[in-house]
Amino acid sequence: MFCTGVSAGVWTLGNCEQNGRFRKIADLSPNCPQGQMTDKHFKTFHVHLISDSTGETVGMVARACLVQFDTIDAHEHLWSMVRSKEQVQEVLDGIREDPGFVLYTVVNDEIRNMLEDGCRKLQVPCIAILDQITAKLGAHLDAEVHPMPGRQHV
């Protein structure tokens, strides 16, 4: 599944299918209406959000962080349902095409390692956004973590 669309700080809603994954691109500059931005005042960059499920979690965390900055124009690339080596390679090709910050929620170790290695080779920052929180919760609760993609949707 492959989706692309740009809107003035709003997600585009259409979904298109291609190659077994979703891809959405949205303008994440909620602090400034479209058309009022200039290169003088705003830093433009790409942020790649990668998920082995719907991408809802990584998208919400990214938006919560990005709205803290008044002078950025972040172009979001959401890669959801990324669960195979071929899909990771496609994501890495997209990152190579539009280099930028990478945030991800992926539980499969092989897929995570491939993504992290690829980002390291491309020299782009790559952060697993839930790892620290999950580890600290597990330690605090003295409970073992049982990762599963999209578990909050069950």
Side-chain angles (χ1 to χ4, degrees):
M1 293 157 257
F2 206 139
C3 272
T4 354
V6 177
S7 179
V10 180
W11 279 82
T12 53
L13 299 176
N15 285 340
C16 313
E17 290 196 28
Q18 181 182 8
N19 299 329
R21 65 164 169 70
F22 285 101
R23 183 180 185 201
K24 291 185 183 176
I25 300 175
D27 181 4
L28 287 182
S29 49
N31 298 321
C32 183
Q34 191 76 3
Q36 295 182 8
M37 292 177 269
T38 65
D39 289 337
K40 264 193 247 181
H41 299 90
F42 285 84
K43 179 178 175 118
T44 300
F45 73 102
H46 294 273
V47 60
H48 294 268
L49 311 176
I50 300 141
S51 173
D52 54 12
S53 188
T54 65
E56 180 181 353
T57 301
V58 71
M60 290 177 77
V61 170
R63 274 182 226 99
C65 294
L66 291 169
V67 298
Q68 305 303 314
F69 301 92
D70 292 332
T71 57
I72 63 161
D73 178 18
H75 296 277
E76 175 188 281
H77 303 261
L78 175 60
W79 305 83
S80 60
M81 304 306 281
V82 177
R83 296 183 180 183
S84 71
K85 291 179 182 180
E86 294 77 22
Q87 290 169 326
V88 173
Q89 188 55 57
E90 200 172 337
V91 168
L92 291 170
D93 291 344
I95 295 168
R96 185 177 296 107
E97 187 178 315
D98 292 309
F101 214 86
V102 174
L103 302 174
Y104 74 91
T105 55
V106 174
V107 297
N108 179 285
D109 286 335
E110 184 177 23
I111 299 301
R112 289 168 61 105
N113 291 338
M114 186 176 174
L115 177 63
E116 289 174 0
D117 289 344
C119 287
R120 198 171 7 268
K121 288 175 186 169
L122 293 171
Q123 298 181 345
V124 296
C126 182
I127 298 173
I129 62 167
L130 297 179
D131 283 10
Q132 276 194 332
I133 297 165
T134 304
K136 291 198 184 247
L137 275 171
H140 178 75
L141 300 169
D142 193 27
E144 189 176 331
V145 177
H146 299 282
M148 183 169 67
R151 200 169 199 174
Q152 77 276 19
H153 300 291
V154 178

